[in-house]
Amino acid sequence: MSVRPILTAPDPRLKAVSTDVGAVDDEIRRLIDDMADSMYAADGIGLAAVQIGVPKRVIVMDLDQKSGKKNPRAFVNPKIVWASEETATFEEGCLSVPEIWESVDRPARIKCEYLDRDGKAQLLEADGLLATCLQHEMDHLEGVLFIDHISKLKRSMALRKLSKAKRLKETG
Ligand code: K1U
Ligand code: ZN
């Protein structure tokens, strides 16, 4: 298992539309393990494979890290089969858009079909942070970032802040 570098905006690879996984085999399980290691190393609560440069429809998530125990969940080929009309607003962040936090409105509750790390079909009903995080990660699979949901002005301010931080990091 290894920690892989996480791509940051405006890297064009983050715009790729990820492709379905044919079979959940050992190669996919290795990818899931590397994604979990990379997510924990970056202090994240979720990660999509495309964020480490692998445009496959795989997500990992762990919302229970405060309890001290690691319990990563994998979602392969996730699909939203129902979304509530009611929306909820959460402050979102993204490991690919570091240090930017913005409020985003999304459906408050969703039902999601996916394959687990054993390739078993699952149906999950989610609300709260789980629903938000799943929708955020599923956006990554379509090449969409959370800053694509905010105003043009806020987005360009966020991207400017990001490129300034990158420049400062490079020049020391
Ligand atoms: O997609 C990602 O880059 C992961 C992202 C998930 C997410 C967070 C919040 C709302 C929606 C989606 C993150 O993990 S951002 C980092 C983060 O949540 C965090 C970092 C440090 C302390 C506490 C939280
Ligand atoms: Zn993200």
Side-chain angles (χ1 to χ4, degrees):
M1 295 194 287
S2 54
V3 173
R4 304 213 212 158
I6 294 175
L7 307 178
T8 55
D11 191 309
R13 287 171 288 178
L14 288 167
K15 293 270 172 215
V17 176
S18 297
T19 55
D20 269 337
V21 168
V24 185
D25 55 15
D26 285 346
E27 188 194 325
I28 293 297
R29 277 185 279 274
R30 258 194 311 275
L31 171 65
I32 289 169
D33 292 341
D34 283 359
M35 287 170 64
D37 282 354
S38 309
M39 173 185 74
Y40 291 126
D43 278 333
I45 56 172
L47 193 74
V50 69
Q51 292 179 273
I52 56 166
V54 180
K56 292 188 177 167
R57 299 185 88 83
V58 181
I59 289 168
V60 294
M61 210 174 287
D62 188 349
L63 304 185
D64 303 319
Q65 293 173 53
K66 280 194 193 89
S67 62
K69 270 192 283 176
K70 291 179 178 169
N71 184 24
R73 292 172 75 161
F75 301 85
V76 178
N77 297 344
K79 191 171 159 203
I80 293 176
V81 292
W82 175 83
S84 65
E85 276 181 27
E86 183 199 344
T87 58
T89 308
F90 271 87
E91 278 269 297
E92 297 192 17
C94 182
L95 300 172
S96 296
V97 192
E99 286 165 46
I100 309 284
W101 290 85
E102 290 289 346
S103 293
V104 179
D105 296 332
R106 299 182 186 273
R109 284 170 289 122
I110 57 166
K111 286 183 188 171
C112 175
E113 284 179 354
Y114 64 97
L115 302 177
D116 65 18
R117 70 172 283 133
D118 300 316
K120 194 166 167 233
Q122 303 282 354
L123 174 66
L124 174 73
E125 191 161 354
D127 62 6
L129 182 59
L130 178 58
T132 291
C133 197
L134 264 171
Q135 291 174 80
H136 173 116
E137 301 308 334
M138 285 167 77
D139 270 356
H140 277 300
L141 306 184
E142 301 302 325
V144 172
L145 296 174
F146 81 102
I147 52 171
D148 296 323
H149 290 285
I150 64 180
S151 73
K152 219 171 156 183
L153 179 65
K154 281 188 178 171
R155 181 164 59 251
S156 59
M157 278 163 58
L159 287 170
R160 260 207 306 276
K161 187 173 165 191
L162 195 61
S163 65
K164 191 174 169 191
K166 270 189 188 173
R167 245 192 346 267
L168 282 173
K169 213 169 148 191
E170 278 161 18
T171 57

Short mmCIF file of all heavy atoms in Angstrom, two decimals, residues 6-7 13 17 20 23 26 51 53 56 76 95 97 107 137 141-142 145 164-165 169 172:
data_model
loop_
_atom_site.label_atom_id
_atom_site.label_comp_id
_atom_site.label_asym_id
_atom_site.label_seq_id
_atom_site.Cartn_x
_atom_site.Cartn_y
_atom_site.Cartn_z
N ILE A 6 -1.69 13.81 -4.59
CA ILE A 6 -3.05 14.24 -4.97
C ILE A 6 -2.96 15.43 -5.92
O ILE A 6 -2.24 16.40 -5.65
CB ILE A 6 -3.87 14.58 -3.69
CG1 ILE A 6 -4.07 13.29 -2.88
CG2 ILE A 6 -5.20 15.24 -4.05
CD1 ILE A 6 -4.74 13.46 -1.54
N LEU A 7 -3.63 15.32 -7.07
CA LEU A 7 -3.63 16.40 -8.06
C LEU A 7 -4.38 17.61 -7.51
O LEU A 7 -5.37 17.46 -6.80
CB LEU A 7 -4.32 15.95 -9.36
CG LEU A 7 -3.83 14.66 -10.01
CD1 LEU A 7 -4.68 14.35 -11.25
CD2 LEU A 7 -2.36 14.78 -10.39
N ARG A 13 -6.21 16.94 -15.61
CA ARG A 13 -6.59 15.54 -15.37
C ARG A 13 -7.79 15.44 -14.42
O ARG A 13 -8.50 14.44 -14.42
CB ARG A 13 -5.39 14.76 -14.79
CG ARG A 13 -4.32 14.48 -15.84
CD ARG A 13 -3.08 13.91 -15.21
NE ARG A 13 -2.35 14.90 -14.43
CZ ARG A 13 -1.24 14.66 -13.75
NH1 ARG A 13 -0.72 13.45 -13.75
NH2 ARG A 13 -0.62 15.63 -13.09
N VAL A 17 -13.67 12.51 -17.26
CA VAL A 17 -14.84 11.73 -16.83
C VAL A 17 -14.35 10.30 -16.60
O VAL A 17 -13.79 9.68 -17.51
CB VAL A 17 -15.98 11.79 -17.87
CG1 VAL A 17 -17.14 10.90 -17.45
CG2 VAL A 17 -16.45 13.23 -18.08
N ASP A 20 -16.30 3.31 -15.90
CA ASP A 20 -16.78 2.23 -15.03
C ASP A 20 -15.69 1.18 -14.81
O ASP A 20 -14.90 0.90 -15.71
CB ASP A 20 -17.98 1.54 -15.70
CG ASP A 20 -19.30 2.17 -15.29
OD1 ASP A 20 -19.35 2.81 -14.22
OD2 ASP A 20 -20.27 2.02 -16.05
N ALA A 23 -14.59 -5.19 -13.25
CA ALA A 23 -14.68 -6.20 -12.18
C ALA A 23 -13.89 -5.72 -10.98
O ALA A 23 -12.81 -5.12 -11.15
CB ALA A 23 -14.12 -7.53 -12.68
N ASP A 26 -8.25 -7.85 -7.64
CA ASP A 26 -7.16 -7.47 -6.73
C ASP A 26 -6.53 -6.13 -7.12
O ASP A 26 -6.09 -5.38 -6.25
CB ASP A 26 -6.09 -8.57 -6.70
CG ASP A 26 -6.56 -9.77 -5.89
OD1 ASP A 26 -7.58 -9.64 -5.17
OD2 ASP A 26 -5.94 -10.84 -6.00
N GLN A 51 -8.51 11.83 -8.39
CA GLN A 51 -7.67 12.80 -7.67
C GLN A 51 -6.23 12.31 -7.53
O GLN A 51 -5.34 13.11 -7.25
CB GLN A 51 -8.26 13.11 -6.28
CG GLN A 51 -9.57 13.88 -6.33
CD GLN A 51 -10.13 14.12 -4.96
OE1 GLN A 51 -10.85 13.30 -4.41
NE2 GLN A 51 -9.81 15.26 -4.37
N GLY A 53 -5.01 10.64 -10.13
CA GLY A 53 -4.67 10.47 -11.55
C GLY A 53 -5.16 9.18 -12.17
O GLY A 53 -4.69 8.80 -13.24
N LYS A 56 -10.94 6.15 -12.83
CA LYS A 56 -11.87 5.00 -12.70
C LYS A 56 -12.90 5.36 -11.65
O LYS A 56 -12.61 6.12 -10.73
CB LYS A 56 -11.10 3.75 -12.25
CG LYS A 56 -10.16 3.24 -13.31
CD LYS A 56 -9.57 1.91 -12.93
CE LYS A 56 -8.71 1.44 -14.10
NZ LYS A 56 -7.85 0.33 -13.77
N VAL A 76 -17.60 1.52 -5.50
CA VAL A 76 -17.18 1.28 -6.89
C VAL A 76 -18.41 1.44 -7.79
O VAL A 76 -19.50 0.94 -7.45
CB VAL A 76 -16.56 -0.13 -7.04
CG1 VAL A 76 -16.17 -0.40 -8.49
CG2 VAL A 76 -15.34 -0.28 -6.12
N LEU A 95 -9.39 18.16 -1.19
CA LEU A 95 -7.94 17.98 -1.17
C LEU A 95 -7.31 18.46 -2.47
O LEU A 95 -6.12 18.75 -2.51
CB LEU A 95 -7.60 16.51 -0.91
CG LEU A 95 -8.15 15.97 0.42
CD1 LEU A 95 -7.94 14.46 0.52
CD2 LEU A 95 -7.51 16.66 1.61
N VAL A 97 -8.39 21.20 -3.96
CA VAL A 97 -8.53 22.67 -3.94
C VAL A 97 -8.17 23.10 -2.52
O VAL A 97 -9.02 23.58 -1.77
CB VAL A 97 -9.97 23.12 -4.30
CG1 VAL A 97 -10.03 24.62 -4.56
CG2 VAL A 97 -10.52 22.37 -5.51
N PRO A 107 -28.88 18.11 -2.84
CA PRO A 107 -29.98 17.33 -2.26
C PRO A 107 -29.60 16.83 -0.85
O PRO A 107 -28.48 16.37 -0.63
CB PRO A 107 -30.14 16.17 -3.24
CG PRO A 107 -29.73 16.77 -4.56
CD PRO A 107 -28.58 17.69 -4.22
N GLU A 137 -17.85 13.55 -4.02
CA GLU A 137 -16.91 12.59 -4.65
C GLU A 137 -17.45 12.12 -6.00
O GLU A 137 -16.69 11.93 -6.95
CB GLU A 137 -16.67 11.39 -3.73
CG GLU A 137 -16.09 11.72 -2.36
CD GLU A 137 -14.84 12.57 -2.41
OE1 GLU A 137 -14.12 12.53 -3.42
OE2 GLU A 137 -14.60 13.32 -1.44
N LEU A 141 -16.05 12.18 -10.24
CA LEU A 141 -16.07 11.15 -11.30
C LEU A 141 -16.56 11.72 -12.63
O LEU A 141 -16.33 11.13 -13.68
CB LEU A 141 -16.96 9.96 -10.88
CG LEU A 141 -16.64 9.32 -9.52
CD1 LEU A 141 -17.54 8.10 -9.29
CD2 LEU A 141 -15.18 8.90 -9.44
N GLU A 142 -17.24 12.88 -12.57
CA GLU A 142 -17.71 13.55 -13.80
C GLU A 142 -16.78 14.72 -14.18
O GLU A 142 -17.12 15.51 -15.07
CB GLU A 142 -19.14 14.10 -13.59
CG GLU A 142 -20.16 13.04 -13.23
CD GLU A 142 -20.27 11.93 -14.26
OE1 GLU A 142 -20.13 12.21 -15.47
OE2 GLU A 142 -20.48 10.77 -13.85
N LEU A 145 -15.65 19.92 -9.90
CA LEU A 145 -15.13 20.28 -8.58
C LEU A 145 -16.18 21.07 -7.82
O LEU A 145 -17.05 21.71 -8.44
CB LEU A 145 -13.87 21.13 -8.72
CG LEU A 145 -12.67 20.46 -9.39
CD1 LEU A 145 -11.54 21.49 -9.59
CD2 LEU A 145 -12.16 19.29 -8.57
N LYS A 164 -1.63 31.48 -6.03
CA LYS A 164 -0.69 32.27 -5.22
C LYS A 164 0.00 31.35 -4.19
O LYS A 164 1.22 31.41 -4.01
CB LYS A 164 -1.45 33.40 -4.51
CG LYS A 164 -0.54 34.41 -3.87
CD LYS A 164 -1.33 35.57 -3.30
CE LYS A 164 -0.43 36.43 -2.43
NZ LYS A 164 -1.22 37.40 -1.66
N ALA A 165 -0.79 30.48 -3.54
CA ALA A 165 -0.23 29.56 -2.54
C ALA A 165 0.77 28.62 -3.20
O ALA A 165 1.84 28.33 -2.64
CB ALA A 165 -1.36 28.77 -1.89
N LYS A 169 4.80 28.41 -2.41
CA LYS A 169 5.39 27.12 -2.03
C LYS A 169 6.63 26.82 -2.89
O LYS A 169 7.63 26.33 -2.41
CB LYS A 169 4.34 26.01 -2.22
CG LYS A 169 4.47 24.90 -1.22
CD LYS A 169 3.26 24.01 -1.29
CE LYS A 169 3.64 22.58 -0.95
NZ LYS A 169 2.56 21.65 -1.25
N GLY A 172 9.41 29.42 -2.02
CA GLY A 172 9.81 29.31 -0.61
C GLY A 172 9.40 30.46 0.20
O GLY A 172 9.59 31.55 0.34
#
